[in-house]
Amino acid sequence: EPEVTQTPSHQVTQMGQEVILRCVPISNHLYFYWYRQILGQKVEFLVSFYNNEISEKSEIFDDQFSVERPDGSNFTLKIRSTKLEDSAMYFCASNRLPGGPREETQYFGPGTRLLVL
Amino acid sequence: AQTVTQSQPEMSVQEAETVTLSCTYDTSESDYYLFWYKQPPSRQMILVIRQEAYKQQNATENRFSVNFQKAAKSFSLKISDSQLGDAAMYFCAYRSAGGDDKIIFGKGTRLHILP
């Protein structure tokens, strides 16, 4: 069964450093998402991406965040200058096959655990 | 704005017994989707069950079923014949059927299975 993959599974970085989290969505899916989950808290939406542009972003997704689909398979989340409060689990998700039903489910990757020191 | 509320931070159930996790939500929309996701210790998000708001029939997936009460804005998850592998964090979630397709999650309920 196709699945969303994410790399790395864990990343430790120093405050102020740039990090890039990588995701490979399910092949042929059209919509891509990033969510984050601070330890002990609920999962929060960051951004959605369709047709090579951001379709929606939350208040959390400020200027230090950016997303990109550099090729036909990868979807990345960049945090330019990490802060302590960026420590969280970051989930990538994808959905919507071409011509698929509107209610297509979002499938989540296994997450990247980011720790900012 | 839509909100999802899970009022039970933790629950426990004896193995092989049945447990119900509660969820309420608030929305002014008439068409939407509701989900239950499971998050085991590995922290991966796994879809358990999905309900379309326009369907009156409650969704079922093997041992998992929901009680969807649209008027009451209630969406509970029933797990029958609980197994040790069911131990996890369970998140109730909402998604609009309109142009805004981000998922809104509740705070979760941690389910413990007692052997």
Side-chain angles (χ1 to χ4, degrees):
Chain A
E1 186 176 328
E3 57 183 23
V4 178
T5 59
Q6 291 185 241
T7 55
S9 58
H10 294 77
Q11 178 143 9
V12 181
T13 189
Q14 294 291 323
M15 188 171 60
Q17 295 295 305
E18 174 183 287
V19 296
I20 297 176
L21 310 183
R22 291 182 167 78
C23 168
V24 178
I26 293 173
S27 178
N28 293 330
H29 276 191
L30 301 178
Y31 289 73
F32 315 113
Y33 311 82
W34 284 102
Y35 294 81
R36 81 170 184 191
Q37 183 186 29
I38 295 172
L39 187 64
Q41 298 187 23
K42 65 180 178 181
V43 179
E44 301 171 291
F45 168 78
L46 291 178
V47 65
S48 58
F49 190 85
Y50 169 70
N51 199 25
N52 283 322
E53 59 183 28
I54 291 173
S55 51
E56 188 183 358
K57 60 183 180 180
S58 71
E59 294 175 349
I60 304 167
F61 195 88
D62 60 23
D63 291 344
Q64 71 159 342
F65 290 93
S66 62
V67 289
E68 191 178 32
R69 188 157 164 80
D71 53 45
S73 60
N74 289 284
F75 178 52
T76 62
L77 174 69
K78 182 192 291 185
I79 310 175
R80 258 180 277 280
S81 178
T82 51
K83 305 171 190 171
L84 296 177
E85 55 264 37
D86 293 328
S87 294
M89 192 78 157
Y90 288 82
F91 292 101
C92 173
S94 72
N95 81 341
R96 196 82 53 78
L97 296 169
R102 188 64 178 83
E103 65 270 23
E104 195 66 48
T105 299
Q106 289 185 22
Y107 293 91
F108 283 74
T112 293
R113 194 181 301 239
L114 176 66
L115 178 60
V116 182
L117 302 176
Chain B
Q2 295 85 13
T3 58
V4 177
T5 302
Q6 293 178 252
S7 58
Q8 305 153 316
E10 289 195 57
M11 290 192 72
S12 296
V13 63
Q14 210 73 36
E15 195 177 1
E17 295 295 308
T18 295
V19 64
T20 298
L21 309 183
S22 302
C23 173
T24 58
Y25 59 94
D26 189 29
T27 184
S28 58
E29 299 175 329
S30 59
D31 196 13
Y32 49 87
Y33 305 99
L34 297 166
F35 307 87
W36 279 98
Y37 281 89
K38 171 184 177 181
Q39 188 180 45
S42 65
R43 296 188 74 184
Q44 181 154 5
M45 296 292 285
I46 303 166
L47 177 69
V48 174
I49 200 164
R50 177 180 73 191
Q51 174 80 41
E52 292 88 346
Y54 64 86
K55 291 186 178 178
Q56 292 187 341
Q57 188 172 5
N58 289 324
T60 62
E61 284 288 341
N62 301 314
R63 297 183 296 107
F64 298 89
S65 62
V66 298
N67 183 5
F68 173 50
Q69 302 288 328
K70 191 172 184 180
K73 294 179 183 173
S74 169
F75 183 61
S76 61
L77 174 70
K78 185 170 83 170
I79 306 174
S80 304
D81 185 25
S82 299
Q83 300 175 1
L84 294 177
D86 295 334
M89 195 74 160
Y90 285 82
F91 292 98
C92 180
Y94 171 102
R95 206 203 90 189
S96 172
D100 178 359
D101 62 354
K102 67 175 181 287
I103 294 179
I104 299 167
F105 288 87
K107 289 188 176 181
T109 297
R110 184 170 301 281
L111 179 65
H112 304 277
I113 309 295
L114 306 173

